[in-house]
Amino acid sequence: MPGSGRSKIPVDVIQDGEVLRHLPGLLTLLGDSGFSEQEAWDWLFREDESLPGTPVQALRDDRHTEVTRRAQALAF
């Protein structure tokens, strides 16, 4: 995982050979909201019944707007 000094990119954040399009901006949003790097990665892979699934799966399914709204709500 990131920050360990032996960083590996989880396969779930790669699609068609590239990092998910909206992931960098989402990670910035989470960081700006006070999430540590580890907390942000944990959140991305945590089940969310309201999506359903995980935020990273929603990104893979091109539902980035839903994920971004949830991330923004976490800041308040």
Side-chain angles (χ1 to χ4, degrees):
M1 274 306 194
S4 68
R6 296 175 297 189
S7 296
K8 295 181 181 179
I9 298 174
V11 69
D12 291 339
V13 303
I14 304 294
Q15 193 168 35
D16 299 326
E18 297 192 22
V19 172
L20 294 171
R21 179 175 172 209
H22 298 282
L23 182 63
L26 183 60
L27 289 171
T28 298
L29 174 63
L30 291 169
D32 289 349
S33 297
F35 278 61
S36 70
E37 192 173 302
Q38 186 61 53
E39 289 169 332
W41 284 99
D42 289 346
W43 181 81
L44 283 168
F45 288 94
R46 188 176 308 130
E47 289 288 326
D48 183 334
E49 292 179 14
S50 68
L51 283 172
T54 64
V56 78
Q57 184 58 51
L59 290 176
R60 292 180 64 80
D61 295 342
D62 201 28
R63 296 183 289 142
H64 58 90
T65 303
E66 295 175 53
V67 177
T68 300
R69 281 188 200 135
R70 283 166 181 76
Q72 288 171 330
L74 295 171
F76 300 103

